[in-house]
Structure formats: structure tokens, C-alpha cells
Amino acid sequence: TYTFSVNSEGGTRLWIDGERLLNMWVSWVPTEYAGLPVFLETGIHTLRLEYYHYSNGEQHLYWTSPEMDKQIIPAGPLQPPTKANGPNPSNNAKDIKQAPLLKWAPGDKAASSQLYFGADEEAVKNADAASPEFKGSIELGAELFDPGTLEWNTTYYWRVDGVNDLDAGSPWAGIVWSFTTADFLVIDDFEDYDIGNKEIWWFWKDGLGYGPHGDEPAYPGNGTGSAVGDENTPTYMEESIIHGGSKSMPVYFDNSVAAISEVDLALGGIDLTQNGGTTLKLFFHGDIGNAADPLYVTLNGGLPVIHEDPAAAQTNKWAEWNIPLQAFVDKGVDVTNVNSIAVGIGNKTSLQPGGTGTMYYDDIGVHP
């Protein structure tokens, strides 16, 4: 059993075997952060450390165990990764949407990857290319696998082996990772958005719009004062103020001219009542400096459901908002055939000019 810690000046994140142990994405004076103890079997394990500069960006990585005093991890045990690493969803992640996309980083010597996937941990661990768990080979640079629509509230296991026919050490058997799907309908957990044609503004439409994109024509914007995304982060997502996972959706609003600011996502006619869904739940985070404009949600472009607290946008912490689906039904929405959802801020029913600020949204889903 080992305990890892980081003395950091600036933000730091630490993963061992794809499981995040530390997430302190803050600017501060040099501070030591320790993760929970983790059991490691004898062998090779993956370690990933992310950090950003605050002053001098100094980072000290330590480990300790019952048999070993705390010390900076020496260079010897730290080698370029030979195994696949950086799984997304992260190892042991919970409440994952039922149609996830699996992503990873290949090992340092891999020329391709072989992927194994299933609901039986031992079967995935022991599988080979003749096993039903084998899902195929993936070319270097295309590290992505779509397992299709999965069962609700079920744990799945996956393994990625690195392959290079020109290296005698090949293949490099990967660690068995796992994740558990949610027992509710996940609308968006905001974990999949990234650079490389996965930027959030292609999906959550805002007031700025965008130019022609691949086969998609230009979008002039939705006519509101919203701007989604943060171009100051590597993924264009909020990576510090998060409710779950490692990302949330930042939305800047300016209601001084447009009166309202909203972003909307196409849903494709889904039934929100499936598996007994009764309540739309989302999490939001505001700021005391925000204008006290009302928050609202719409489905299918219908009338808004407005938050009961008129100053909710000034809430300087994560707040849970539970909306009975009946509230949308009462406004004429067919919740068994929902084509879009919008989250917004402003006086949508009277279109009175308001103020400015930034909101953060995370973990939108429909619960029983």
C-alpha cells in the first residue's frame, strides 16, 4: 500500500493506473496534497501528473508505504509509459452515460492498440484475440472505441494492449480498467468535449455562433447574449470549478442588450421518462459578482421553468436544481419526445435587459 503526495505551487492532478488520486487545480502558495492510500501489486503501473504554473511551477512528487519513509520518487522507477494510460472514463468512474466513448493514450512504444471489453473482469483480464471480449485493433493516433449503448447501472471492464511487431517486448498487456454506468438518464456530464472537432460550441449552441465547420454550414448564433467555452484552457472547458469528473460547462452571459443568454443542445427526440425518469436534475455554480438575473431551463424551445431563487446566479458554490418533469408537461412539452434542452439566464418571459457574469453547469440528467 502506497500513499502519493505532491508539494505544489500552482495546480496539480495525479492519476495512478488511470484512477485520479489528487485534483487540486488551484493557484496557491507551495502546499502539500496527499491522496488516499492505494494498493499496488508488484509490477508496472502508470503514473500521470499534470500541473500548471502559478509562480515558478515547482512540483515535488513523493511516495511512502508502511515499509518506506516518505521520499521524493527517484528517477529509477519513473520510466516512459510502456502500457496504455490516461483512460477516459477514468478508472473506477461512476455514473457514466450509457453510450460512452472510450479513449486512452498509447504506450511509448506502441504502434497500434488491441482493445478488450466486457462485463466480466476476469474474462477481460485473460482475453486474447480469439476471445469474444476482443473488439479489434486500433491504429496509432485513433485511440477511440464506441461500445454502443450499454446497460444501466452496470460495471464494465476494458483493457488496451500496446502492439509493435518490431519490438521484442510486444505486446504490452494493459491494466484492466473499469467504469459503472449511471442508474439514471445522463443528458450531459461534459466529459467528452475537447479540442479536435469536439469543442463544446459545436454542440451547445450559443449567441456567438460559428463559421462553416466540415460539412456543417455556418451558424449565426441563437440571438442571445451567451458565449460558451473558455479559450484559456486546453480543452476549452472549465477545469477547476467542477462538480463531477474533470470538466464543467462555462457560459458567459451579457443580458445588457439581448436581455437573455442561453445555450441549447440537440437531443434527437429522446424519452425522458424511460426507466422511470421523473425529475430533471442539474448542477450550477455562479458567482457573487454575477448579475442577479433569473435562471431557467426549457425543453423543445417551450416556456421556461424558472429557478425559485431570483438571485441563484450569485450562488458561489455548486447547487443542485431538481425540476419535476411535470413542470414541463404543464407548459405543454411532450417529455417523451424531447429534441432540445436549453439552460439560460435572464427574463425570458418579459425580455427585460439585465446584467453580465459567468455561470457553470455540470451533470445534467433525468432521475427516477
Side-chain angles (χ1 to χ4, degrees):
T1 300
Y2 291 83
T3 299
F4 294 84
S5 59
V6 180
N7 192 300
S8 169
E9 183 175 14
T12 189
R13 293 173 178 153
L14 178 67
W15 290 260
I16 302 294
D17 290 342
E19 183 170 2
R20 189 171 62 195
L21 300 183
L22 289 175
N23 182 29
M24 303 303 298
W25 212 239
V26 294
S27 297
W28 203 245
V29 297
T31 305
E32 184 168 326
Y33 305 104
L36 294 174
V38 57
F39 174 75
L40 299 178
E41 295 181 348
T42 301
I44 297 175
H45 298 269
T46 61
L47 181 151
R48 175 182 167 199
L49 176 68
E50 292 183 353
Y51 67 93
Y52 73 84
H53 285 250
Y54 174 58
S55 176
N56 60 17
E58 189 170 330
Q59 305 280 314
H60 297 279
L61 176 61
Y62 299 89
W63 62 357
T64 184
S65 74
E67 297 79 27
M68 179 181 68
D69 293 335
K70 187 175 78 171
Q71 59 177 287
I72 290 179
I73 301 179
L78 296 177
Q79 301 294 327
T82 57
K83 295 186 177 185
N85 57 90
N88 184 7
S90 61
N91 193 23
N92 295 322
K94 311 297 183 185
D95 292 340
I96 300 303
K97 61 186 178 182
Q98 292 80 21
L101 294 175
L102 310 187
K103 295 179 281 188
W104 65 95
D108 192 54
K109 298 181 180 180
S112 64
S113 298
Q114 292 181 334
L115 189 136
Y116 302 86
F117 179 85
D120 185 319
E121 182 177 12
E122 284 300 310
V124 171
K125 179 179 179 180
N126 298 316
D128 58 27
S131 305
E133 288 76 18
F134 177 61
K135 303 304 178 183
S137 296
I138 293 92
E139 295 180 356
L140 188 66
E143 288 78 21
L144 181 71
F145 175 68
D146 182 356
T149 301
L150 305 176
E151 296 294 326
W152 294 40
N153 194 27
T154 301
T155 299
Y156 290 91
Y157 303 89
W158 56 304
R159 187 186 101 217
V160 178
D161 292 355
V163 178
N164 187 336
D165 293 337
L166 300 180
D167 193 300
S170 172
W172 297 275
I175 295 164
V176 176
W177 298 315
S178 72
F179 63 87
T180 302
T181 53
D183 61 356
F184 58 90
L185 177 64
V186 179
I187 300 297
D188 207 339
D189 59 11
F190 300 101
E191 295 302 303
D192 288 340
Y193 302 111
D194 206 337
I195 60 172
N197 295 324
K198 290 289 288 182
E199 290 87 354
I200 191 168
W201 49 77
W202 305 126
F203 303 91
W204 284 87
K205 305 294 180 64
D206 63 8
L208 294 180
Y210 49 76
H213 171 61
D215 295 331
E216 186 174 348
Y219 174 68
N222 60 19
T224 75
S226 62
V228 68
D230 183 349
E231 295 186 350
N232 295 312
T233 68
T235 62
Y236 299 138
M237 300 293 291
E238 174 58 37
E239 298 181 358
S240 178
I241 302 173
I242 53 177
H243 176 261
S246 60
K247 302 171 188 174
S248 68
M249 176 174 69
V251 180
Y252 173 76
F253 67 92
D254 183 352
N255 295 336
S256 61
V257 177
I260 62 170
S261 297
E262 68 180 39
V263 291
D264 56 273
L265 174 71
L267 295 179
I270 63 174
D271 179 1
L272 300 189
T273 68
Q274 59 184 282
N275 281 37
T278 64
T279 304
L280 178 70
K281 178 186 293 187
L282 61 87
F283 293 84
F284 66 87
H285 190 300
D287 187 270
I288 191 64
N290 284 349
D293 293 355
L295 301 181
Y296 65 85
V297 177
T298 69
L299 298 179
N300 288 348
L303 294 173
V305 173
I306 302 171
H307 197 282
E308 61 183 8
D309 180 1
Q314 296 179 329
T315 302
N316 195 30
K317 61 181 180 180
W318 284 106
E320 180 178 320
W321 187 6
N322 293 293
I323 307 174
L325 294 183
Q326 186 62 44
F328 297 102
V329 173
D330 293 344
K331 295 181 181 297
V333 176
D334 179 1
V335 295
T336 68
N337 183 23
V338 177
N339 291 292
S340 67
I341 181 173
V343 293
I345 181 168
N347 295 288
K348 189 174 177 67
T349 55
S350 61
L351 296 181
Q352 299 174 3
T356 63
T358 301
M359 294 296 302
Y360 306 93
Y361 299 93
D362 207 351
D363 295 328
I364 303 176
V366 179
H367 295 248

